[in-house]
Amino acid sequence: MRGKSIGGLVLGAILLLGTSVSARADEDAALRARAHEIHDRVIAIDTHVDIPTSFATPAYDPGEDNPAPVLVDIPKMEKGGLDGVFFIVYVPQTERDPAGESAAISKAFAKFAAIHRMADNQNADRIGLATSAADVRRLNEEGKKVALIGIENGFVVDHHPELLDIYYELGARYFGLVHNGHNDLADSAQPKESLGDKPNDAGGEHQGLSPMGEAVVRRCNDLGIMVDISHSAKSTALDAIRLSRAPVIASHSSVHALRAHPRNMDDETMKAMAAKGGVIQIVAFDDYLHEVPKAKHKARGEAAKRLGLTSLEAFFDASEEAKAEFRKISDELDAEYPRSTLSDLIDHIDYAVTLVGIDHVGIASDFQGGGGIQGWRDAGETFNVTLELVRRGYGEEEIAKLWGGNILRVMDEVEAARKQGAKQVE
Ligand SMILES: [Zn+2]
């Protein structure tokens, strides 16, 4: 009797377990279906993707499904349901002398040309260049992917602020004031000792924006370019927020309260930015989401140096052997020290949403600039972010804002704040 009863209990438990497992599977399927519906309806925009100067050449044809290190191309955007991408005109900070400046300017023009080659030419039937939020919505309606352009590092204007007008005409709609290393416009969140930069806790260089930096922020406002404070020192960020007539953005930054990295934004800066209508685009960058052990940084850095992969260009132009070897080392390091997860990413989004509200938070990958986490390793996996948001209780209206609604609202506001009579470019 007793034995039978125990047997019955065991059987019951097994049946119950079976029911709960299948109930969970049903729930998962329903959640996934709901996430798909939402992901299909919203406009998903990634606000930060780096490109090498070989972008839109046979070496990296964005119309093809390319192997790594390419993480973003049109087939991957299609697969992942990613509708729009800010492609980045990035230049590294080097010596601020005439040779350094002219190299930076040439590189900037080469990257503008690359983005135009893709959107105006090779793949014009599949992707279009947007220079306004209205363009983004129209291209999306037409069933095309959307390319937008952001600048990363004010070094591209340095002593030639008139270049800003030209960059605007070429399609730039956000302007990152500074990168790693102070420049003549602003102090960086990460000064470069190798360039002789003074650390920020020792006063930095300009203690925020220089007079030239202030003039550039004003000109961005006049033209209708969003000012981007990612990579800025806190002093720079607060100066830009105070000075700007229009909302400013952080195109790819995460939350300092969760990961004390100089690249992340603290509560005071986030609140000040949101009070002016801006957005922080939480970035899927491993080291900004959780602390990456020094040993991993060191091993990766040494491997990159040994293989000559010390710049974005070198990384893309390397031999197949070098690429494969670096990938192998990278994978081994990721196995030993796992990358951040989608759950970590949503933790940062949750924190920012709780602090400054759902209207002031967005999403960025920093693909090809060091971004990529477990579950969102390339543009083809973009749906997973929406799935995780749904799992964490976000509804369609909120997800629509996070994925694109907020950045498009800011673009509209920045455009509306354009100076009347500023040169019209159509
Ligand atoms: Zn960056």
Side-chain angles (χ1 to χ4, degrees):
M1 181 77 185
R2 195 180 157 81
K4 193 179 172 194
S5 140
I6 287 172
L9 277 175
V10 170
L11 183 67
I14 290 168
L15 285 173
L16 258 178
L17 192 69
T19 317
S20 80
V21 167
S22 75
R24 209 176 307 136
D26 285 351
E27 209 179 291
D28 259 15
L31 204 124
R32 189 168 273 276
R34 190 170 135 62
H36 268 298
E37 278 174 24
I38 293 174
H39 196 65
D40 285 350
R41 276 195 293 260
V42 304
I43 300 180
I45 300 173
D46 177 346
T47 53
H48 203 89
V49 168
D50 268 300
I51 52 161
T53 43
S54 61
F55 184 67
T57 68
Y60 176 176
D61 176 356
E64 300 285 320
D65 190 356
N66 299 271
V70 171
L71 305 179
V72 181
D73 50 36
I74 297 168
K76 289 182 186 65
M77 289 175 74
E78 284 164 351
K79 182 177 166 217
L82 179 61
D83 302 303
V85 166
F86 273 88
F87 291 99
I88 302 307
V89 171
Y90 156 74
V91 302
Q93 187 61 47
T94 59
E95 294 285 351
R96 281 176 264 165
D97 54 21
E101 280 167 27
S102 62
I105 293 166
S106 307
K107 184 167 265 187
F109 279 112
K111 291 198 177 182
F112 275 110
I115 300 165
H116 280 274
R117 274 200 301 276
M118 167 183 71
D120 303 345
N121 204 330
Q122 295 168 357
N123 297 285
D125 52 333
R126 296 162 78 192
I127 192 164
L129 180 68
T131 55
S132 66
D135 279 353
V136 174
R137 297 183 184 106
R138 175 183 51 79
L139 286 161
N140 188 254
E141 285 279 304
E142 290 171 6
K144 284 187 187 173
K145 294 298 177 196
V146 184
L148 298 115
I149 304 179
I151 288 175
E152 184 172 34
N153 196 357
F155 191 40
V156 299
V157 300
D158 218 52
H159 291 276
H160 309 276
E162 70 281 3
L163 283 171
L164 200 56
D165 292 48
I166 296 171
Y167 296 146
Y168 176 84
E169 289 188 40
L170 290 172
R173 288 300 178 270
Y174 78 65
F175 184 87
L177 295 163
V178 65
H179 191 253
N180 295 336
H182 303 319
N183 61 25
D184 287 335
L185 308 182
D187 284 1
S188 166
Q190 294 178 282
K192 259 189 177 174
E193 263 178 53
S194 58
L195 293 175
D197 286 355
K198 200 165 159 194
N200 291 325
D201 54 15
E205 181 172 332
H206 315 286
Q207 297 82 47
L209 287 172
S210 69
M212 200 192 294
E214 291 176 357
V216 165
V217 167
R218 286 196 198 94
R219 191 62 193 154
C220 282
N221 286 165
D222 290 351
L223 288 166
I225 298 178
M226 296 183 283
V227 173
D228 176 17
I229 56 176
S230 283
H231 287 286
S232 284
K234 180 176 178 175
S235 54
T236 299
L238 292 176
D239 273 0
I241 294 164
R242 221 174 359 245
L243 182 68
S244 178
R245 287 190 284 108
V248 309
I249 65 166
S251 68
H252 61 306
S253 291
S254 292
V255 169
H256 196 273
L258 299 183
R259 163 72 178 114
H261 189 289
R263 270 284 282 109
N264 284 341
M265 289 185 88
D266 69 5
D267 291 10
E268 184 191 355
T269 314
M270 260 194 277
K271 281 184 186 167
M273 191 174 68
K276 288 281 281 259
V279 284
I280 175 170
Q281 302 289 116
I282 300 291
V283 65
F285 193 104
D286 193 22
D287 202 17
Y288 308 160
L289 294 177
H290 73 181
E291 189 170 357
V292 172
K294 284 203 173 68
K296 186 178 188 184
H297 276 304
K298 189 164 176 275
R300 244 184 96 90
E302 280 169 3
K305 206 168 171 190
R306 180 168 56 78
L307 295 165
L309 310 176
T310 48
S311 71
L312 183 70
E313 269 63 41
F315 200 75
F316 279 87
D317 299 343
S319 67
E320 290 309 316
E321 294 73 38
K323 283 179 192 164
E325 189 176 345
F326 189 73
R327 202 154 48 240
K328 183 171 164 283
I329 294 166
S330 244
D331 288 349
E332 284 166 6
L333 285 169
D334 284 346
E336 194 175 349
Y337 310 100
R339 282 188 185 228
S340 308
T341 61
L342 286 167
S343 177
D344 296 325
L345 177 72
I346 313 299
D347 286 348
H348 281 248
I349 291 175
D350 273 351
Y351 185 97
V353 167
T354 305
L355 186 77
V356 295
I358 189 73
D359 292 330
H360 304 285
V361 186
I363 304 167
S365 69
D366 205 358
F367 284 142
Q368 303 177 167
I373 56 173
Q374 291 186 56
W376 197 23
R377 290 165 303 180
D378 64 36
E381 296 188 329
T382 303
F383 165 71
N384 291 343
V385 179
T386 299
L387 180 61
E388 194 66 20
L389 285 166
V390 171
R391 235 177 229 145
R392 296 278 286 263
Y394 284 86
E396 176 162 350
E397 203 184 319
E398 297 166 309
I399 293 172
K401 286 182 175 183
L402 293 170
W403 258 135
N406 290 337
I407 193 74
L408 293 178
R409 192 248 317 147
V410 171
M411 278 187 85
D412 278 332
E413 288 180 19
V414 168
E415 207 179 305
R418 263 176 77 92
K419 190 175 168 192
Q420 289 302 317
K423 195 170 161 196
Q424 286 293 330
V425 184
E426 293 305 335

